[in-house]
Amino acid sequence: MTPSAIADQLRALGVMTGAVVQVHTSFRAVRPVDGGPAGLIEALLMTVGPDGTVVMPSWTGDDDHVFDPATTPADLDLGVVAQTLWRRPDARRGDHPFAWAAVGPRAKEIVDVPMTLPPHGPESAVGRVHDLGGQVLLLGVGHDADTSLHLAELKAGVPYRIPHHITVLEDGVPTRIDYGENDSCCARFALADDLLRVEGLQHEGTVGRATARLFRSRDVVRLACAALKDDPLLFLHATAEGCAECDTARASVRVI
């Protein structure tokens, strides 16, 4: 499909001109698109127009080396579209290991944020998208890729943390920093589908060959926070389900 045709589908889904749009995508699910991943990015930019901003995760998957925003590849799990976005000459990328990248007039405001631990809290780039009333587009992926739900976990005060580390420069010396992250397998983030659908707050359709979901960051965070207040372990599999990542998260509750 042409970028123009993809843009028509995005508009039909509800992506707004002038919007801040946080995008998580699998190009394999969307393709074929003329121009490949770069063509999909052009379609997104065409849809939001010159006053809109497209934002994608751009953090590193390498915890043992110092992050360089000009050269360090994004985590491979983020996909080829995210990898392509930060390399655009008009893209702005954060300068720490939990970086996001963006193209558009709000890019600097969103991605130039200090490093926070855990990484997806209110002061992070995902928090900025939330505060700006941004939309979230899941394109060929489900809510397991929705970083806004990590923001909701932190705002709701979930009690689990998984040990992680990063490497940063301190006085010119690479230094390891250990921290705890609100992490799990994230499969139960799929519960956000029902939370949003019941309220009529999630638009769903087809973009390219992919299933697409569109909603406001504020809506999913608000609804997830309310659900987590009732059950702080909502997004963790039950112990009997045998999920090692969720079992580790549950075990951490006793030692926080």
Side-chain angles (χ1 to χ4, degrees), residues 50-163:
D51 295 329
T53 301
V54 172
V55 187
M56 294 186 191
S58 195
W59 53 77
T60 177
D62 185 350
D63 301 326
D64 296 315
H65 295 88
V66 174
F67 178 81
D68 181 343
T71 61
T72 301
D75 190 332
L76 292 177
D77 288 345
L78 299 178
V80 67
V81 181
Q83 199 74 255
T84 302
L85 182 84
W86 76 262
R87 289 191 166 99
R88 285 177 59 107
D90 58 349
R92 191 170 188 96
R93 192 184 194 195
D95 63 359
H96 56 72
F98 307 115
W100 289 67
V103 176
R106 310 302 290 266
K108 183 178 188 299
E109 180 180 359
I110 293 167
V111 307
D112 285 8
V113 292
M115 185 178 75
T116 59
L117 296 173
H120 304 304
E123 301 305 316
S124 69
V126 70
R128 291 285 175 86
V129 171
H130 171 274
D131 291 347
L132 289 169
Q135 297 180 297
V136 180
L137 174 65
L138 303 179
L139 193 50
V141 296
H143 281 282
D144 58 320
D146 180 8
T147 314
S148 298
L149 290 170
H150 287 306
L151 172 63
E153 289 178 312
L154 291 173
K155 288 174 76 72
V158 298
Y160 43 88
R161 297 290 185 272
I162 300 297

Side-chain angles (χ1 to χ4, degrees), residues 13-14 136-138 141-143 146 149 189-205 211-216 219-220 223:
L13 185 69
V136 180
L137 174 65
L138 303 179
V141 296
H143 281 282
D146 180 8
L149 290 170
F189 279 5
L191 294 171
D193 275 326
D194 288 338
L195 295 176
L196 288 161
R197 286 168 180 161
V198 165
E199 301 290 335
L201 295 173
Q202 180 165 276
H203 300 277
E204 300 179 32
T211 298
R213 297 168 171 84
L214 181 74
F215 47 91
R216 289 187 179 275
D219 289 334
V220 73
L223 293 171

Side-chain angles (χ1 to χ4, degrees), residues 167-203:
T167 304
V168 299
L169 285 180
E170 290 188 353
D171 298 323
V173 178
T175 303
R176 172 174 167 141
I177 297 177
D178 293 288
Y179 68 98
E181 186 168 348
N182 48 304
D183 204 358
S184 66
C185 77
C186 298
R188 281 179 59 83
F189 279 5
L191 294 171
D193 275 326
D194 288 338
L195 295 176
L196 288 161
R197 286 168 180 161
V198 165
E199 301 290 335
L201 295 173
Q202 180 165 276
H203 300 277

